[in-house]
Amino acid sequence: MDQISTMYHEIASFATETNSLERLPAEVAEVSKKIMVNAAAAGLAGAAQQDGHTVTQFAQDMGGNGRCTIIGRGLRSSPVYASLVNAVLIRLLDFDDEIVANGAHPGGAIFPVVMALGEMNGLSGPKALTAFAVGCEVYSSLQTLATGKGSGGDVAIPEQSSSGTLSAALGATAAACMLLDLDESRTIKALRLAGAGGSPDGAGPDSAYAYGKSAMAGVMAALLTEQGLDAMPSLPPALTGSGKSLGLGSPFDILSPGTALKLYPCASQAHTAIDASLQLVQQYRFSADEIGEVKVGITPPALDSLPYPTPVNGWEARACISFIVASTLATGHPLIDSFSEQAVSDPQIRALMDRITVDASEEPTALIPYPSSVSIALRDGRRIHHRAEFARGLAEIPLTSEELNAKFLYCSRYILPPDHIEEAITRLRDLENIDNTTGLFSVLGG
């Protein structure tokens, strides 16, 4: 058996053997529910954006059997197009989950699949939760294999290639096959079908669309295989040649290296600099006008992943460390509107950016991958400094239940009525006790 076939068999065996909630570690189930709450929150925030309107209208124009809810839009579409749209909405604002060690965003690829098929077929909460956890594990393990990052203490940013969204598509396929009760043989066929092509990663709407295609590919591959379509073995070079076992579930990646549920809607590698900046503002109580100059130290991998020195729009601003620090120092905790077109051109923030210098002076370690330091010379002569090793919301300092609930409320406040917000949070957190997920997922439509 060749390496590709061996990998397909490993994934299919893991998916079919881990076919009940009782076979998941309890902590995996708990973290999975938090990721689902976070994904729903990020999708509701994305639904309010213009790009969210655009992709929703596209799905409506395509038609199809409208049995699956589009998050925050009060509309239904086919499971294929609902998966596409919801994945785009979740990933759109860089406010979703992330396994920072390997760059995987499992919630954006897997939750739309579970939501669409769970709602369409009236599947139980335990079944949806189990498929979600397995899909996330398959995706993240493939991402680690493809990039060589995320294991053995590696500290680096995954290269931008087709591997990320291909890994996502195969993870989505594994989840979809479980939800459709496909056996191991047909799961392998579906994986081969989904592995027939990949999509390039990118920033902003491009990246969100790529994840949308991954979720859609997973649903299509599983549904077509269920209906009898076969596929020849096919997998692009991005995921071939290692000969290594994926090590699925040993442990689950959402536990180790762990999952970030972002507190700030921007690149994860900037979050420690945000926390360092917020700490200085809270401790010394100064305004942006009092700042003379700022020096920001980040790691070389973080600098590589934040490539925009002068952002021209909100998408670039989310990956511009000087803008992110300037905005934080001027306006506080970064919010969705912190990356609006108006905010990006704000003269106060632009002026402060000119007084910020950034260098790769921090050294990453296996235990502390993205430390950041912020040093400020105030106009009154004071010099202040703070170094942050970890940021809130990342795996090392996870959000509390209250903080995650607050994030959901913030993201959904203009989209869902208050009773739907409370119902969505409560039922997602109690997913293992829900007999039919149709009502739960339809609540997210608004």
Side-chain angles (χ1 to χ4, degrees):
M1 187 181 296
D2 61 31
Q3 292 176 2
I4 297 174
S5 297
T6 298
M7 183 174 62
Y8 284 138
H9 277 270
E10 183 180 354
I11 295 169
S13 176
F14 179 69
T16 53
E17 290 176 3
T18 315
N19 61 358
S20 68
L21 190 58
E22 291 73 22
R23 298 188 179 186
L24 283 183
E27 191 177 1
V28 170
E30 286 302 310
V31 173
S32 294
K33 289 188 291 183
K34 292 179 181 179
I35 298 172
M36 295 170 87
V37 172
N38 188 77
L44 288 162
Q49 306 301 306
Q50 181 56 49
D51 287 306
H53 291 283
T54 299
V55 72
T56 300
Q57 186 59 55
F58 169 78
Q60 292 301 105
D61 291 343
M62 293 298 99
N65 188 357
R67 299 169 62 185
C68 302
T69 294
I70 294 177
I71 295 174
R73 303 298 301 160
L75 300 169
R76 294 176 184 272
S77 187
S78 69
V80 170
Y81 282 109
S83 297
L84 168 67
V85 175
N86 288 335
V88 171
L89 297 182
I90 292 168
R91 186 73 187 96
L92 192 58
L93 296 174
D94 209 352
F95 211 9
D96 56 334
D97 61 289
E98 182 179 357
I99 297 177
V100 179
N102 62 22
H105 298 264
I110 312 304
F111 184 67
V113 174
V114 171
M115 181 175 169
L117 296 180
E119 181 179 18
M120 183 177 74
N121 294 326
L123 302 179
S124 71
K127 191 178 189 71
L129 181 54
T130 304
F132 179 80
V134 169
C136 290
E137 175 66 1
V138 170
Y139 169 17
S140 182
S141 296
L142 286 168
Q143 180 75 352
T144 296
L145 177 67
T147 62
K149 309 298 188 294
S151 62
D154 292 326
V155 180
I157 297 298
E159 296 178 0
Q160 298 300 312
S161 70
S162 65
S163 61
T165 45
L166 176 57
S167 302
L170 294 173
T173 303
C177 289
M178 292 179 67
L179 294 167
L180 294 174
D181 292 323
L182 301 191
D183 60 19
E184 183 172 339
S185 175
R186 291 197 293 171
T187 298
I188 292 170
K189 291 181 180 180
L191 290 166
R192 287 172 174 168
L193 191 62
S199 304
D201 271 333
D206 291 344
S207 176
Y209 173 61
Y211 277 82
K213 289 202 295 182
S214 296
M216 183 171 66
V219 171
M220 287 194 299
L223 287 172
L224 288 169
T225 301
E226 182 189 38
Q227 295 173 25
L229 183 67
D230 206 341
M232 295 299 292
S234 175
L235 198 65
L239 291 178
T240 65
S242 72
K244 297 180 180 178
S245 168
L246 295 175
L248 295 166
S250 302
F252 278 73
D253 282 8
I254 62 173
L255 300 185
S256 179
T259 308
L261 304 181
K262 295 185 178 184
L263 193 60
Y264 314 118
C266 59
S268 299
Q269 294 76 22
H271 287 206
T272 47
I274 293 172
D275 275 12
S277 300
L278 289 174
Q279 177 62 35
L280 290 173
V281 172
Q282 293 164 3
Q283 183 174 352
Y284 294 99
R285 302 293 180 181
F286 55 88
S287 68
D289 292 337
E290 298 176 76
I291 296 173
E293 62 179 18
V294 181
K295 293 184 178 180
V296 179
I298 57 178
T299 67
L303 188 61
D304 289 342
S305 69
L306 300 165
Y308 299 103
T310 307
V312 299
N313 54 45
W315 314 115
E316 292 185 2
R318 285 180 169 84
C320 172
I321 186 63
S322 59
F323 175 86
I324 291 169
V325 169
S327 175
T328 302
L329 293 173
T331 64
H333 180 128
L335 301 170
I336 293 171
D337 287 344
S338 301
F339 300 94
S340 66
E341 301 304 313
Q342 181 178 1
V344 172
S345 60
D346 184 296
Q348 182 187 37
I349 294 175
R350 287 289 181 171
L352 185 52
M353 286 177 63
D354 291 338
R355 305 198 295 276
I356 294 176
T357 58
V358 179
D359 60 39
S361 56
E362 292 288 337
E363 288 297 324
T365 69
L367 296 178
I368 307 172
Y370 293 110
S372 298
S373 59
V374 178
S375 302
I376 301 176
L378 297 171
R379 296 190 189 280
D380 63 8
R382 289 181 293 166
R383 293 184 176 273
I384 57 180
H385 172 86
H386 188 78
R387 183 177 185 270
E389 294 184 343
F390 304 109
R392 289 181 301 159
L394 300 188
E396 297 80 7
I397 310 178
L399 298 185
T400 65
S401 294
E402 292 74 20
E403 288 174 322
L404 184 53
N405 289 353
K407 176 178 177 178
F408 192 101
L409 177 61
Y410 167 68
C411 290
S412 62
R413 66 199 188 284
Y414 299 130
I415 304 294
L416 299 183
D419 59 329
H420 283 199
I421 294 174
E422 182 177 355
E423 180 180 357
I425 294 174
T426 299
R427 297 186 74 185
L428 281 169
R429 290 189 181 279
D430 192 41
L431 191 58
E432 69 273 23
N433 295 313
I434 293 177
D435 294 329
N436 187 320
T437 56
T438 298
L440 162 61
F441 292 134
S442 66
V443 164
L444 297 176

